[in-house]
Amino acid sequence: MPLLYTIGKLTVAPALRLAFRPTVEGLEHIPETGGAIFAGNHLSVADELFLGTVVPRHLAFWAKSEYFKGTGPKGAFSKFVLTGLGAIPVERAGGRAALSAFDAAIPALQGGDLVAVYPEGTRSPDGRLYRGRTGTVRLAVAAGVPIIPVGMIGTDKAQPIGARVPRPGRAKITVRFGKPLDFTGRSDDRTSLRAMTDELMAEIQKLTGQEYVPRYAPPRAHPPLAGEPGAV
């Protein structure tokens, strides 16, 4: 586990547990060793904080490559933090650059690390669960690792879109882990990837109880990141 991530587990994680007292269900589905992908609904930027808080092992999140390339003291600090946390940079551009996150995630997963992704490709604008993009399943098939469905509840109330930090007392936070889905050995053709992705989203919906929308979530200020769960 990266040093900075370890420091966060010893400081930030206990503070979040004390302030929010999140309910956690299904911890028995988290493997003690070996690589796996955590794929969940995406309601808030706080999702990463609470997921990292309750998962006992290191989780590698994808982060925009711009955060690794900033200039000046702020840029240097951002790069230091993300590198120290073991984040995987994602290029906004398409083509070969967009696949760089896969190139980094596959060896990490095959080496026994955990990677967190969001199949919707962006945060839900209205609390509903939108159609998943196929990149998450494609990554699982390529790396030969299982996918653990994750259901986040209440994070959009604790830290709505636009809020700088999560605030206690606004909502009850619940994190649910489902049974691992093993797609290894399955075909990676377009039809199969779509079917497996729909299966994954159905499992996530069971955990969250969200209304499902059979179309992709509308982009915010920019299109979904190519490496951010599945826009590839």
Side-chain angles (χ1 to χ4, degrees):
M1 186 179 294
L3 177 59
L4 195 57
Y5 198 95
T6 300
I7 294 173
K9 293 291 285 185
L10 296 174
T11 56
V12 177
L16 287 175
R17 285 184 179 276
L18 180 62
F20 292 89
R21 300 187 182 279
T23 297
V24 185
E25 302 173 7
L27 276 175
E28 68 274 12
H29 298 312
I30 299 177
E32 294 183 2
T33 61
I37 297 171
F38 284 73
N41 60 321
H42 200 11
L43 298 173
S44 166
V45 294
D47 294 334
E48 290 94 335
L49 286 174
F50 288 101
L51 187 57
T53 292
V54 303
V55 173
R57 296 173 56 192
H58 172 248
L59 268 175
F61 290 93
W62 277 334
K64 291 182 292 186
S65 62
E66 289 92 330
Y67 294 151
F68 293 84
K69 300 175 181 177
T71 58
K74 184 177 180 180
F77 178 75
S78 176
K79 180 179 180 180
F80 168 77
V81 170
L82 290 174
T83 302
L85 292 174
I88 299 174
V90 178
E91 295 284 351
R92 283 180 184 269
R96 182 66 254 171
L99 296 176
S100 62
F102 272 52
D103 294 338
I106 289 175
L109 288 165
Q110 293 177 336
D113 207 352
L114 305 176
V115 173
V117 298
Y118 296 103
E120 291 169 279
T122 187
R123 281 171 286 165
S124 171
D126 53 20
R128 296 185 293 175
L129 183 68
Y130 284 79
R131 191 184 197 209
R133 297 175 182 270
T134 59
T136 300
V137 169
R138 182 180 300 176
L139 177 60
V141 172
V145 299
I147 299 177
I148 299 173
V150 181
M152 306 294 295
I153 301 173
T155 53
D156 54 334
K157 304 294 191 303
Q159 186 176 0
I161 293 176
R164 296 179 65 86
V165 295
R167 297 181 181 179
R170 290 193 169 188
K172 176 63 179 177
I173 304 296
T174 300
V175 185
R176 292 178 177 149
F177 299 101
K179 295 181 180 180
L181 300 175
D182 189 357
F183 295 126
T184 55
R186 299 272 290 269
S187 173
D188 62 353
D189 63 85
R190 185 183 297 272
T191 300
S192 297
L193 290 173
R194 181 72 264 159
M196 288 184 283
T197 300
D198 290 344
E199 182 180 339
L200 168 62
M201 300 310 291
E203 291 302 313
I204 294 174
Q205 186 188 26
K206 290 178 184 177
L207 297 172
T208 66
Q210 292 170 277
E211 176 186 349
Y212 180 71
V213 182
R215 64 176 185 274
Y216 296 128
R220 300 191 304 279
H222 56 77
L225 296 177
E228 185 182 14
V232 174

